[in-house]
Amino acid sequence: MGGNRFLASIRPYALYMAWIVSIVAAGGSLYLSEIMHYEPCKLCWFQRIFMYPEVILLGIASYKNDRKIIPYAMTLSIIGGCISIYHYLEQKIPALAKALPCTVGIPCNFDYLNWFGFITIPLLALIAFILIVLLLLAGREPKEEMQEA
């Protein structure tokens, strides 16, 4: 029962909160590359390709309170999250870096950040994608059957 109240309290703001997460993630990636001068690898660029449009899409959807965007934004986050998982595993499991090596630019298994031995840039991106998915799930309109019950 408490979980239903929690979801009901988050639902009106879920799109807005997902938009804020996408802004922080996009801003963080730009900060790391433009201010800290960390060169993004190929997999970082793919993750950015799936995160940056979410800033615009979720921003417009938040402004209009248009929940029809949720399946599309969720698709972007799930694909981006899968890339983040692979990227993180490539950094932590050396054999994966040899299986599909980055041949141009910075190697994808290079760690610019390695806080506490496990927090890396791909993990931060994965956390952002997961938060967006969870917020979008919470922000969906309840089904008619659920409203009648």
Side-chain angles (χ1 to χ4, degrees), residues 15-63:
L15 279 175
Y16 179 73
M17 290 189 288
W19 178 53
I20 296 297
V21 170
S22 70
I23 289 173
V24 170
S29 74
L30 288 171
Y31 173 79
L32 291 173
S33 62
E34 299 302 318
I35 306 298
M36 299 296 293
H37 302 290
Y38 294 167
E39 183 181 343
C41 69
K42 188 167 123 180
L43 290 174
C44 289
W45 278 114
F46 286 130
Q47 291 166 72
R48 288 177 177 203
I49 287 168
F50 288 96
M51 181 60 73
Y52 288 2
E54 298 214 60
V55 174
I56 296 166
L57 295 173
L58 292 172
I60 293 169
S62 298
Y63 178 73

Side-chain angles (χ1 to χ4, degrees), residues 41-44 87 90-91 100-102 106-111 122:
C41 69
K42 188 167 123 180
L43 290 174
C44 289
H87 192 183
E90 187 172 304
Q91 286 183 334
L100 189 63
C102 286
I106 192 88
C108 292
N109 63 343
F110 184 75
D111 285 345

